[in-house]
Amino acid sequence: MARKPIIAGNWKMNMTRAEATALIEALKPLVKDATSDVVICVPYTDIDVAVKLCAGSNIKVGAENVAWAEKGAFTGEISADMLAELGTEYVIIGHSERRQYFGETDATVNARLKTALGKGLKPIVCVGETLDQREKNRTKTVIRKQVQLGLEGISAEDMASVIIAYEPVWAIGTGKTATSEQAEETIKFIRGVIAKMFDRKLANKVRIQYGGSMNPKNVKELMAMPDIDGGLIGGASLKAPDFSQVVNFDK
Ligand code: PGA
């Protein structure tokens, strides 16, 4: 029941088109022999150039968000059709920065997820606790709720293409990684929640990434854990040598 690892970059609000071009050109030869799925989630304005440059390579392109509505009066939003038309394959949903700064809730995560799945995009759904929640021993309660509400009403068939990213908020961009044991414990817990919602067989197929200061130095140890199936990489995805070392963690 081997799950293929998936390493995804999350560029966040970085990389002009010129910078994106240079990064992707540098990255392509460095990751071409990867045994994992390789994805770069890029700003909307970089998607078309990224899809063109990655064509014929093993790098897939994702967006960092998607609207829940199909179309209409939603100023500033980008629809799933618009993303699919450009050749976008993946999309991050519910990143903690969206939750923290842009009012994202479990309900909007769920709505975006359903729309993304309906349009054939492969979602990367993010969950994670804050430092305060961890210190108050609320990690499992918080994560269970995010997973249950985020995935509410998703069919087992659709669930097969959903990827979960466990990203403790206190580890994002802080240089503080969760220990491999902490990450494994919570990811295993998430797999258990999915098993209860669906069934164990399906839960064992779902890929669950770790995210939060994953880098060339800690990737091996994290990826050695049995339930960690990849990474969602912020800072270390912005430099070709760093991201390629994460991708090639098993080389
Ligand atoms: P980081 O970001 O690797 O810079 O901590 C990860 C993320 O937010 O997805």
Side-chain angles (χ1 to χ4, degrees):
M1 174 107 32
R3 296 178 295 265
K4 189 177 185 189
I6 174 163
I7 306 288
N10 172 14
W11 288 4
K12 308 192 179 186
M13 198 175 71
N14 294 293
M15 299 287 151
T16 62
R17 287 163 69 88
E19 290 164 342
T21 302
L23 176 54
I24 292 167
E25 291 295 14
L27 202 54
K28 280 197 287 190
L30 298 177
V31 301
K32 69 177 182 5
D33 299 320
T35 55
S36 309
D37 285 334
V38 183
V39 182
I40 48 172
C41 297
V42 306
Y44 294 130
T45 47
D46 292 335
I47 289 175
D48 67 334
V49 75
V51 168
K52 276 187 199 104
L53 289 170
C54 293
S57 82
N58 59 329
I59 306 175
K60 310 290 187 202
V61 177
E64 299 176 12
N65 195 8
V66 62
W68 59 75
E70 287 210 13
K71 58 155 82 173
F74 297 94
T75 303
E77 287 290 288
I78 300 287
S79 77
D81 278 335
M82 293 167 183
L83 294 178
E85 184 186 43
L86 293 181
T88 314
E89 255 189 69
Y90 291 83
V91 61
I92 298 173
I93 297 176
H95 189 276
S96 66
E97 285 147 20
R98 303 290 324 166
R99 295 178 190 257
Q100 197 176 343
Y101 306 127
F102 301 100
E104 195 79 54
T105 64
D106 293 324
T108 57
V109 168
N110 185 251
R112 290 184 204 277
L113 175 60
K114 286 175 176 158
T115 304
L117 286 167
K119 299 291 180 183
L121 296 170
K122 296 174 188 148
I124 300 176
V125 178
C126 302
V127 297
E129 82 287 1
T130 62
L131 184 58
D132 183 57
Q133 290 163 337
R134 177 162 281 266
E135 284 173 347
K136 289 183 177 140
N137 279 321
R138 295 192 54 233
T139 299
K140 288 187 176 161
T141 315
V142 168
I143 299 286
R144 184 188 299 109
K145 182 169 160 276
Q146 289 177 344
V147 173
Q148 285 175 341
L149 297 180
L151 302 180
E152 198 171 75
I154 302 302
S155 70
E157 194 190 343
D158 276 346
M159 192 58 210
S161 62
V162 175
I163 294 146
I164 308 287
Y166 167 57
E167 299 205 304
V169 177
W170 46 273
I172 295 178
T174 57
K176 256 197 235 167
T177 328
T179 64
S180 44
E181 289 77 21
Q182 282 171 325
E184 169 65 18
E185 187 192 0
T186 312
I187 287 177
K188 201 172 169 177
F189 174 76
I190 292 170
R191 205 177 294 291
V193 176
I194 295 170
K196 281 207 188 91
M197 291 179 73
F198 299 89
D199 61 63
R200 177 49 70 179
K201 199 164 154 227
L202 175 59
N204 284 344
K205 284 191 192 150
V206 173
R207 294 188 289 181
I208 310 180
Q209 299 173 314
Y210 167 77
S213 302
M214 201 188 231
N215 60 44
K217 288 204 182 85
N218 58 31
V219 63
K220 266 195 176 47
E221 201 189 319
L222 287 158
M223 290 303 294
M225 303 311 275
D227 283 280
I228 302 183
D229 305 320
L232 186 55
I233 325 294
S237 73
L238 299 176
K239 289 189 184 137
D242 288 3
F243 189 58
S244 63
Q245 280 182 63
V246 174
V247 167
N248 295 320
F249 69 92
D250 56 346
K251 301 254 187 306

